[in-house]
Amino acid sequence: MILSELIDYGTLRLIWWVLLGVLLIGFAALDGFDLGVGMLLPFVGRSDIERRVVINTIGPVWEGNQVWLILGGGAIFAAWPPLYAVSFSGFYLAMFLILAALILRPVGFKYRSKRDSMRWRSGWDWALFVGGFVPALIFGVAVGNVLQGVPFRFANDMGIFYEGSFLGLLNPFALLCGLLSVSMLVMHGSAWLALKTDGKISWRARDYGSVAALLTLVLYAAAGAILWTYVSGYRIISPIDPGGPSNPLLKTVVAENGAWFANYTAHPWLLVAPALGIIGAPATFLALRSKAEILPLLTGKLAIFGIISSVGVSMFPFILPSSIDLKSSLTVWDSSSSHQTLFIMLVVTVIFLPIIVAYTSWVYHVLWGKVDAAHVADKNSHSY
C-alpha cells in the first residue's frame, strides 16, 4: 500500500484548507501586532526615546513573526497552485505595494538611529507607519474582494485570464474590510504595547487601542450586515466529489444573496466563529480599560481568530470565487495539488510546524518582560 493512501484525497484537501487558515491566522495573531505597533509609533511615542522604546518592543521578534506570512504564501503555492496563480497575478500591483511596504520595516529598524537628526528619525518613523498601515489595509481589501468574487476565468486549456484592475479592487465593501483590518491590528498592537511598556506609552496605547477595539466591533458588524444584504454569495448546485480531479470547470455554480450564511444554517455550531469576533473586540476594550496586561493580548487574538475564521467558514468550500465566470471559481475540492503532493507536504508540516511553534515560544519566553527607556538608552545594549 502506498503511504499516501492512508488518508483519502478529500480528507487531505480538507486538512490543507484548515492548515492554510491556521497559517493565515498565525500571521495575523503574531505579525499583526508588529504591524499595529508600526501604525501606532508616531502617535504613542512623543519623544525620540519613547519611540525607540516602542520600536524595541517588536525589534527582537518581528522577523520571526513574519515567517508565518512566508509559510502561508508557500502553502498556497504548493497546496493550491491555481489559487496562487490567480491571486499573485491578478493582485500583482497590490502584492507589490505590500512587499514594498514590508521592505520599509527592516530598513527603518536598521537605519532610523544611524543619524542623530530629528528630521531623519521622524522620516523613518513615518516609513515604519507606512510599513504597518499599507499591508494591513491591502490584506483587508483583498479579503473584501474575495468575498465579492474576483474577475477571472479559466479557458478550456486552463489558461488564466484576469479581467480586473487595481482601482477596481478599491470598491466600497473592500475598503470597509480594509479599514476593519487596520482597526483590528491597531487594537492588537495596542494590547502588545500595554503589555511590554509602562507609563505614558502604555497609557496612550490603551487609549488608542480602546478606540480601535470599538471601531473593530462596529466595522465587523457593518461588514456582516452588508454581506447579508448586498453581497452575493456563491453556491455549487452540481454534485460534489471531494476526491475528484482538480479541474474547476467541471462544476455548476450560482450566485445568490445570503449564500455566504448557508453554512451557519446547516451547521449552527459554526456560529462560534463570528461570535468570537463579536465578543473578542469589546472584551479587548474592557481589558484595556481595566489596566490588565496580558488579557488584552489574549482577547485581541480571540477577536482575530473569530474574524478571520468566519470568512473561511462562510465561504467554504470556496477559496476564490469568480465574479465573471462562476464555474471557474476555485474550491477546496477542485483546485489542489495531487494526492501524493498533499500527503508529502502534510508529513513535512507535521515534523516542522511543531518545531517552529516550540522555537517561537522559547524566543518569547527568553524575551519576556517590559522594555524601558533605561535599557534602550544603554550604549552597551543591542537595542535599535
Side-chain angles (χ1 to χ4, degrees), residues 145-308:
N145 279 282
V146 169
L147 284 166
Q148 296 174 95
V150 178
F152 74 93
R153 61 182 176 85
F154 285 99
N156 291 331
D157 62 356
M158 297 305 293
I160 301 171
F161 296 87
Y162 180 80
E163 300 183 7
S165 65
F166 175 74
L167 293 179
L169 299 176
L170 304 178
N171 56 78
F173 179 74
L175 288 172
L176 174 65
C177 293
L179 293 176
L180 169 59
S181 175
V182 169
S183 65
M184 179 178 71
L185 298 187
V186 167
M187 173 187 71
H188 201 37
S190 299
W192 177 254
L193 289 176
L195 173 66
K196 294 291 288 184
T197 64
D198 276 323
K200 293 181 180 180
I201 298 175
S202 179
W203 300 339
R204 295 179 194 131
R206 290 178 184 276
D207 289 340
Y208 284 112
S210 299
V211 174
L214 295 178
L215 280 175
T216 299
L217 176 62
V218 171
L219 292 173
Y220 184 50
I226 293 173
L227 197 65
W228 171 267
T229 309
Y230 299 107
V231 177
S232 295
Y234 299 86
R235 184 167 62 89
I236 301 172
I237 59 174
S238 57
I240 298 174
D241 181 7
S246 289
N247 184 345
L249 300 180
L250 300 179
K251 64 182 178 300
T252 304
V253 178
V254 295
E256 57 185 37
N257 287 339
W260 286 153
F261 293 83
N263 285 336
Y264 300 115
T265 302
H267 308 284
W269 64 271
L270 293 175
L271 288 168
V272 170
L276 290 177
I278 293 173
I279 294 171
T284 303
F285 171 83
L286 294 175
L288 287 169
R289 302 320 302 170
S290 69
K291 305 296 190 295
E293 292 196 339
I294 196 171
L295 184 59
L297 193 67
L298 296 178
T299 55
K301 292 183 187 299
L302 191 70
I304 288 172
F305 175 84
I307 291 171
I308 296 179

Side-chain angles (χ1 to χ4, degrees), residues 119-157:
R119 177 177 293 183
W120 170 270
R121 294 184 176 188
S122 178
W124 284 114
D125 291 340
W126 284 103
L128 290 170
F129 168 83
V130 172
F133 177 78
V134 170
L137 179 69
I138 294 182
F139 282 136
V141 167
V143 171
N145 279 282
V146 169
L147 284 166
Q148 296 174 95
V150 178
F152 74 93
R153 61 182 176 85
F154 285 99
N156 291 331
D157 62 356

